[in-house]
mmCIF file of all heavy atoms in Angstrom:
data_model
loop_
_atom_site.group_PDB
_atom_site.id
_atom_site.type_symbol
_atom_site.label_atom_id
_atom_site.label_comp_id
_atom_site.label_asym_id
_atom_site.label_seq_id
_atom_site.Cartn_x
_atom_site.Cartn_y
_atom_site.Cartn_z
ATOM 1 N N PHE A 11 119.816 134.703 46.169
ATOM 2 C CA PHE A 11 120.197 133.276 46.188
ATOM 3 C C PHE A 11 118.990 132.362 46.070
ATOM 4 O O PHE A 11 119.096 131.260 45.534
ATOM 5 C CB PHE A 11 121.072 132.934 47.405
ATOM 6 C CG PHE A 11 120.418 133.051 48.747
ATOM 7 C CD1 PHE A 11 119.609 132.041 49.240
ATOM 8 C CD2 PHE A 11 120.636 134.166 49.540
ATOM 9 C CE1 PHE A 11 119.013 132.145 50.491
ATOM 10 C CE2 PHE A 11 120.051 134.281 50.792
ATOM 11 C CZ PHE A 11 119.236 133.269 51.261
ATOM 12 N N LEU A 27 122.974 122.162 46.642
ATOM 13 C CA LEU A 27 124.111 122.696 47.399
ATOM 14 C C LEU A 27 125.159 123.309 46.467
ATOM 15 O O LEU A 27 125.760 124.349 46.788
ATOM 16 C CB LEU A 27 124.728 121.551 48.222
ATOM 17 C CG LEU A 27 126.156 121.674 48.723
ATOM 18 C CD1 LEU A 27 126.357 122.897 49.588
ATOM 19 C CD2 LEU A 27 126.539 120.434 49.527
ATOM 20 N N ALA A 30 123.941 126.564 45.061
ATOM 21 C CA ALA A 30 123.896 127.512 46.181
ATOM 22 C C ALA A 30 125.297 127.999 46.551
ATOM 23 O O ALA A 30 125.468 129.140 46.987
ATOM 24 C CB ALA A 30 123.211 126.863 47.383
ATOM 25 N N ALA A 31 126.296 127.143 46.361
ATOM 26 C CA ALA A 31 127.686 127.544 46.614
ATOM 27 C C ALA A 31 128.198 128.455 45.509
ATOM 28 O O ALA A 31 128.906 129.433 45.757
ATOM 29 C CB ALA A 31 128.572 126.300 46.733
ATOM 30 N N TRP A 33 126.645 130.578 43.793
ATOM 31 C CA TRP A 33 126.116 131.943 43.923
ATOM 32 C C TRP A 33 127.121 132.857 44.628
ATOM 33 O O TRP A 33 127.166 134.059 44.351
ATOM 34 C CB TRP A 33 124.786 131.920 44.693
ATOM 35 C CG TRP A 33 124.066 133.230 44.741
ATOM 36 C CD1 TRP A 33 123.313 133.809 43.754
ATOM 37 C CD2 TRP A 33 124.011 134.145 45.862
ATOM 38 N NE1 TRP A 33 122.792 135.009 44.181
ATOM 39 C CE2 TRP A 33 123.204 135.238 45.479
ATOM 40 C CE3 TRP A 33 124.557 134.132 47.148
ATOM 41 C CZ2 TRP A 33 122.933 136.316 46.334
ATOM 42 C CZ3 TRP A 33 124.292 135.205 48.004
ATOM 43 C CH2 TRP A 33 123.488 136.272 47.597
ATOM 44 N N SER A 34 127.929 132.301 45.536
ATOM 45 C CA SER A 34 128.954 133.094 46.230
ATOM 46 C C SER A 34 129.954 133.713 45.260
ATOM 47 O O SER A 34 130.651 134.668 45.621
ATOM 48 C CB SER A 34 129.731 132.216 47.230
ATOM 49 O OG SER A 34 128.910 131.746 48.273
ATOM 50 N N SER A 58 135.208 111.482 48.197
ATOM 51 C CA SER A 58 133.907 111.060 48.733
ATOM 52 C C SER A 58 132.794 111.984 48.242
ATOM 53 O O SER A 58 131.690 111.529 47.938
ATOM 54 C CB SER A 58 133.937 111.033 50.264
ATOM 55 O OG SER A 58 134.095 112.343 50.792
ATOM 56 N N GLY A 59 133.072 113.275 48.156
ATOM 57 C CA GLY A 59 132.076 114.227 47.680
ATOM 58 C C GLY A 59 131.772 114.039 46.200
ATOM 59 O O GLY A 59 130.621 114.160 45.761
ATOM 60 N N GLU A 61 132.065 111.173 44.599
ATOM 61 C CA GLU A 61 131.245 109.962 44.556
ATOM 62 C C GLU A 61 129.822 110.278 45.006
ATOM 63 O O GLU A 61 128.849 109.738 44.466
ATOM 64 C CB GLU A 61 131.861 108.880 45.462
ATOM 65 C CG GLU A 61 133.193 108.351 44.943
ATOM 66 C CD GLU A 61 133.933 107.472 45.944
ATOM 67 O OE1 GLU A 61 133.569 107.468 47.146
ATOM 68 O OE2 GLU A 61 134.902 106.807 45.532
ATOM 69 N N ILE A 63 128.144 113.050 44.579
ATOM 70 C CA ILE A 63 127.415 113.638 43.438
ATOM 71 C C ILE A 63 126.855 112.527 42.556
ATOM 72 O O ILE A 63 125.683 112.547 42.168
ATOM 73 C CB ILE A 63 128.334 114.551 42.605
ATOM 74 C CG1 ILE A 63 128.720 115.801 43.397
ATOM 75 C CG2 ILE A 63 127.660 114.942 41.283
ATOM 76 C CD1 ILE A 63 129.746 116.666 42.700
ATOM 77 N N ARG A 65 126.183 109.497 43.300
ATOM 78 C CA ARG A 65 125.140 108.718 44.000
ATOM 79 C C ARG A 65 123.805 109.443 44.074
ATOM 80 O O ARG A 65 122.801 108.844 44.456
ATOM 81 C CB ARG A 65 125.617 108.350 45.418
ATOM 82 C CG ARG A 65 126.735 107.346 45.418
ATOM 83 C CD ARG A 65 127.260 107.021 46.827
ATOM 84 N NE ARG A 65 128.531 106.318 46.683
ATOM 85 C CZ ARG A 65 129.658 106.618 47.335
ATOM 86 N NH1 ARG A 65 129.672 107.595 48.225
ATOM 87 N NH2 ARG A 65 130.760 105.931 47.094
ATOM 88 N N GLY A 116 130.251 101.361 43.339
ATOM 89 C CA GLY A 116 129.684 102.073 44.489
ATOM 90 C C GLY A 116 128.997 103.370 44.107
ATOM 91 O O GLY A 116 128.791 104.244 44.952
ATOM 92 N N PHE B 11 124.189 102.164 48.878
ATOM 93 C CA PHE B 11 124.147 103.629 48.909
ATOM 94 C C PHE B 11 122.741 104.168 48.643
ATOM 95 O O PHE B 11 122.373 105.236 49.142
ATOM 96 C CB PHE B 11 125.193 104.267 47.985
ATOM 97 C CG PHE B 11 125.005 104.015 46.515
ATOM 98 C CD1 PHE B 11 124.121 104.790 45.769
ATOM 99 C CD2 PHE B 11 125.733 103.033 45.869
ATOM 100 C CE1 PHE B 11 123.958 104.568 44.404
ATOM 101 C CE2 PHE B 11 125.573 102.802 44.512
ATOM 102 C CZ PHE B 11 124.680 103.569 43.771
ATOM 103 N N LEU B 27 123.701 115.085 48.811
ATOM 104 C CA LEU B 27 125.109 114.919 48.424
ATOM 105 C C LEU B 27 125.973 114.586 49.633
ATOM 106 O O LEU B 27 126.898 113.761 49.543
ATOM 107 C CB LEU B 27 125.584 116.228 47.768
ATOM 108 C CG LEU B 27 127.077 116.526 47.689
ATOM 109 C CD1 LEU B 27 127.838 115.435 46.977
ATOM 110 C CD2 LEU B 27 127.305 117.853 46.975
ATOM 111 N N ALA B 30 125.370 111.064 50.783
ATOM 112 C CA ALA B 30 125.910 110.191 49.732
ATOM 113 C C ALA B 30 127.431 110.132 49.798
ATOM 114 O O ALA B 30 128.034 109.101 49.474
ATOM 115 C CB ALA B 30 125.436 110.673 48.361
ATOM 116 N N ALA B 31 128.056 111.235 50.227
ATOM 117 C CA ALA B 31 129.520 111.247 50.388
ATOM 118 C C ALA B 31 129.927 110.470 51.633
ATOM 119 O O ALA B 31 130.924 109.733 51.620
ATOM 120 C CB ALA B 31 130.018 112.691 50.474
ATOM 121 N N TRP B 33 128.606 107.922 52.920
ATOM 122 C CA TRP B 33 128.548 106.467 52.700
ATOM 123 C C TRP B 33 129.923 105.899 52.347
ATOM 124 O O TRP B 33 130.229 104.740 52.673
ATOM 125 C CB TRP B 33 127.538 106.149 51.595
ATOM 126 C CG TRP B 33 127.261 104.683 51.392
ATOM 127 C CD1 TRP B 33 126.458 103.880 52.143
ATOM 128 C CD2 TRP B 33 127.787 103.851 50.341
ATOM 129 N NE1 TRP B 33 126.441 102.604 51.627
ATOM 130 C CE2 TRP B 33 127.247 102.557 50.524
ATOM 131 C CE3 TRP B 33 128.647 104.068 49.257
ATOM 132 C CZ2 TRP B 33 127.543 101.491 49.671
ATOM 133 C CZ3 TRP B 33 128.954 103.005 48.404
ATOM 134 C CH2 TRP B 33 128.398 101.742 48.615
ATOM 135 N N SER B 34 130.760 106.704 51.692
ATOM 136 C CA SER B 34 132.123 106.264 51.340
ATOM 137 C C SER B 34 132.948 105.901 52.574
ATOM 138 O O SER B 34 133.943 105.192 52.455
ATOM 139 C CB SER B 34 132.877 107.368 50.572
ATOM 140 O OG SER B 34 132.284 107.628 49.314
ATOM 141 N N SER B 58 132.353 128.825 50.338
ATOM 142 C CA SER B 58 131.195 128.892 49.428
ATOM 143 C C SER B 58 130.290 127.675 49.628
ATOM 144 O O SER B 58 129.064 127.783 49.588
ATOM 145 C CB SER B 58 131.644 128.985 47.966
ATOM 146 O OG SER B 58 132.299 127.792 47.568
ATOM 147 N N GLY B 59 130.883 126.500 49.843
ATOM 148 C CA GLY B 59 130.095 125.285 50.052
ATOM 149 C C GLY B 59 129.345 125.327 51.377
ATOM 150 O O GLY B 59 128.202 124.858 51.476
ATOM 151 N N GLU B 61 128.369 128.086 52.875
ATOM 152 C CA GLU B 61 127.266 129.023 52.640
ATOM 153 C C GLU B 61 126.174 128.332 51.818
ATOM 154 O O GLU B 61 124.977 128.559 52.030
ATOM 155 C CB GLU B 61 127.768 130.265 51.905
ATOM 156 C CG GLU B 61 128.713 131.123 52.749
ATOM 157 C CD GLU B 61 129.419 132.209 51.959
ATOM 158 O OE1 GLU B 61 129.405 132.163 50.699
ATOM 159 O OE2 GLU B 61 130.005 133.101 52.585
ATOM 160 N N ILE B 63 125.292 125.188 51.869
ATOM 161 C CA ILE B 63 124.462 124.371 52.773
ATOM 162 C C ILE B 63 123.389 125.236 53.423
ATOM 163 O O ILE B 63 122.208 124.882 53.453
ATOM 164 C CB ILE B 63 125.331 123.722 53.878
ATOM 165 C CG1 ILE B 63 126.256 122.665 53.280
ATOM 166 C CG2 ILE B 63 124.445 123.107 54.963
ATOM 167 C CD1 ILE B 63 127.250 122.093 54.286
ATOM 168 N N ARG B 65 122.127 127.973 52.396
ATOM 169 C CA ARG B 65 121.159 128.471 51.399
ATOM 170 C C ARG B 65 120.154 127.402 50.980
ATOM 171 O O ARG B 65 119.177 127.718 50.300
ATOM 172 C CB ARG B 65 121.897 129.014 50.169
ATOM 173 C CG ARG B 65 122.658 130.276 50.442
ATOM 174 C CD ARG B 65 123.416 130.823 49.225
ATOM 175 N NE ARG B 65 124.357 131.841 49.684
ATOM 176 C CZ ARG B 65 125.654 131.887 49.395
ATOM 177 N NH1 ARG B 65 126.191 130.973 48.600
ATOM 178 N NH2 ARG B 65 126.403 132.838 49.879
ATOM 179 N N GLY B 116 123.617 136.928 53.159
ATOM 180 C CA GLY B 116 123.613 136.138 51.926
ATOM 181 C C GLY B 116 123.231 134.681 52.150
ATOM 182 O O GLY B 116 123.528 133.821 51.310
#
Side-chain angles (χ1 to χ4, degrees):
Chain A
F11 66 81
L27 160 58
W33 187 78
S34 295
S58 66
E61 292 170 346
I63 292 173
R65 291 177 194 131
Chain B
F11 65 83
L27 160 57
W33 187 79
S34 295
S58 66
E61 293 169 346
I63 292 174
R65 291 179 194 129

